[in-house]
Each structure stands twice: as structure tokens, then as C-alpha cells.
Amino acid sequence: MRFGFSRLLVVALLVVSGSAVLRAAEADVAEVTSAGPVEDPVTAMRKFRVAPGLKVNLFAAEPMVRNVVSFGFDEKGRCYVVESNRRRTSVFDIRGLSEWLDADFSFRTVEDRANFLKANLSPSNPKLGDFLKSKRNLLSDFNKDGVIDWHDLEVESERIRLLVDTNGDGQADAAATLAEGFDGLTSGVAAGVLARKGEVWFTCIPDLWRMTNAELRMTTGLPSADSLPFNPHLVNRKSKISSTVLVFTLPSAATICTG
């Protein structure tokens, strides 16, 4: 796990041992551009120290979910897990970019941020080469076009995974990617999620997304495959997604955040 969240994940999604059933639910797990080594769930659980009377079990683990930021449950007991694949690779940590700090404080709009990153991470910027050398591993050629520039910030995507315990044994045995495509230049880091009665509310800087799917309201399991995933780039008559704060446009620019 890239962010060292293995322990958090085991505590947060608590309940089961072993991962055979978890792996069986992984048919639709998309490739993540920046993934680190995965710690065995059983090993991770042994590192926990809990208060007397409490017991730690495992509900879900990698590769069913990864890079967990937050999670929430709906009224039917399904688990919505927010993942960040952009943190520190497509959304920069301003603490390591002191020369950008004044500009970061000056931004009044998302467009200001977009214009700044396009100007500074453009091949036409004569200082780009030296800048990237001085900031080793700041940015990679994610789109594989042979050039490292701001277009590489439009590849990695934040994601929501939907986990279901279909047989009530306390173990997630079915999973699907509920939403993806949050890969605009201003997208991320992903944050909270709230699901109720067929609606899912999701914060992903700079947007607050609202997603609706009738099957989420009418069923207790996973929606049909042809209704998922929610994606701001795609139109799906069974699933609607819209930003309640900003109109999602491409291209835009990467958010610089602290943390």
C-alpha cells in the first residue's frame, strides 16, 4: 500500500481472516499507476494492540481495496471505500515546493491553478528540465508519450469501490468499482463519501459530486455491470453524475495540497 495505510485499513474495515474470497471478488480491479508493495493482511493484524474486550478481524484488504482515504456505509450495509491514486504523484505536496508557495497562496480560482501548472509544467518552459531534476520523482511520464509535462497529471484517477457482504458472514465477498475518472488536472485528493437511498455524495477537490443510481436504492447487492462505474467523462442512462460545485471540464490543473 503506497501511503502506509495497511494498519488503518485493517482497523477501519474490520471483520474476517484469509483472503481467498477477497481475491475472488477482484475481477474488475483496474490497474493503478502508482502502487506500492502490499502487506499481508494477517501480518498487519498482528501489529495491532487493542483494548481488552475488543477483537480485530478483517473485512477487506488489498487488492479488493487500496490507498484508502475514507469509507462509509449505506442503509443496506454496503461499504463505499474512497481510494486516492493521485496523492503526491498527481497532486503535489506543497511542503516540498517552497518556490511555488507564494503562487499557491495567490490563487483565487481553479482556473488560476490550472494556468499556473500549465505554464510551469510545459515543455516550452526553459526552466522545466532543471526544475524536474531538482525535484526528483515529483512527476512521471504517466501517459507514456515520452515527455514529462502537465498532461501527465490527467492519467491517475481517484476511485470509489463498493464492497458487499452478500451472505452476512461479516466478510466482503463481492466488489465493484463504483466510480472513477476523477483524473482532471484539478482533481484530488479524494475525501469523504456519504451514501443514502440510491444517492452517493463524494468530495474530490475541487468538486462535490452527486451520483444517483436506481439500482442502489432497489437492491441490497451490487448494481448491474452496465450501470457502473460512474464516470464524469461518460454518459450512462442508468447512472447520473454531476458536480454540485463546479462544472467538470478537461483539461484543467492539478491541485497543490498540504499532506
Side-chain angles (χ1 to χ4, degrees), residues 15-16 21 59 76-77 164-174 220:
V15 230
V16 95
V21 177
F59 178 70
K76 298 179 184 293
V164 181
D165 173 10
T166 62
N167 57 14
D169 67 352
Q171 169 182 347
D173 50 32
T220 59

Side-chain angles (χ1 to χ4, degrees), residues 28 30 32 79-85 156-163 175-183 190 192-193 200-204 209-213 216 222-223 225 227-234 236 239-242:
D28 75 328
V32 176
C79 186
Y80 298 73
V81 181
V82 176
E83 303 176 343
S84 179
N85 297 306
E156 295 184 303
S157 174
E158 308 296 66
R159 190 169 69 164
I160 303 176
R161 293 281 287 166
L162 178 58
L163 279 54
T177 296
L178 181 79
E180 61 184 3
F182 306 102
D183 54 6
V193 62
V200 181
W201 298 82
F202 170 53
T203 53
C204 183
W209 295 98
R210 180 189 181 190
M211 309 174 213
T212 58
N213 181 305
L216 284 174
L222 297 175
S227 69
L228 296 180
F230 291 97
N231 190 318
H233 302 286
L234 304 175
N236 187 322
S239 299
K240 296 181 180 179
I241 179 171
S242 61

Side-chain angles (χ1 to χ4, degrees), residues 14-208:
L14 283 177
V15 230
V16 95
S17 60
S19 58
V21 177
L22 303 184
R23 288 193 296 269
E26 283 312 292
D28 75 328
V29 175
E31 178 182 355
V32 176
T33 306
S34 302
V38 173
E39 185 175 25
D40 175 71
V42 176
T43 301
M45 290 170 62
R46 290 177 182 148
K47 297 178 181 179
F48 278 94
R49 297 293 180 268
V50 298
L54 297 180
K55 181 181 179 181
V56 177
N57 295 307
L58 180 64
F59 178 70
E62 299 93 339
M64 182 178 278
V65 291
R66 67 186 83 203
N67 301 334
V68 176
V69 176
S70 64
F71 65 94
F73 292 84
D74 66 12
E75 73 281 0
K76 298 179 184 293
R78 293 170 296 199
C79 186
Y80 298 73
V81 181
V82 176
E83 303 176 343
S84 179
N85 297 306
R86 294 177 59 81
R87 181 175 179 266
R88 294 187 176 176
T89 54
S90 295
V91 179
F92 303 134
D93 186 341
I94 193 61
R95 294 173 296 183
L97 295 166
S98 58
E99 58 270 70
W100 285 8
L101 192 58
D102 288 344
D104 189 60
F105 284 141
S106 74
F107 299 148
R108 303 292 296 274
T109 66
V110 175
E111 186 178 7
D112 289 344
R113 193 180 299 282
N115 291 336
F116 174 83
L117 289 178
K118 288 179 182 179
N120 282 270
L121 299 178
S122 169
S124 62
N125 176 9
K127 299 180 180 180
L128 179 60
D130 290 339
F131 175 75
L132 292 175
K133 288 179 182 178
S134 68
K135 305 294 181 182
R136 187 174 301 176
N137 300 322
L138 175 70
L139 185 61
S140 299
D141 184 16
F142 289 131
N143 63 7
K144 309 300 182 184
D145 65 353
V147 178
I148 297 178
D149 61 10
W150 60 269
H151 292 289
D152 294 304
L153 300 176
E154 299 180 303
V155 177
E156 295 184 303
S157 174
E158 308 296 66
R159 190 169 69 164
I160 303 176
R161 293 281 287 166
L162 178 58
L163 279 54
V164 181
D165 173 10
T166 62
N167 57 14
D169 67 352
Q171 169 182 347
D173 50 32
T177 296
L178 181 79
E180 61 184 3
F182 306 102
D183 54 6
L185 288 173
T186 52
S187 297
V189 172
V193 62
L194 174 67
R196 286 293 182 274
K197 297 181 179 180
E199 292 191 330
V200 181
W201 298 82
F202 170 53
T203 53
C204 183
I205 297 171
D207 296 280
L208 171 60

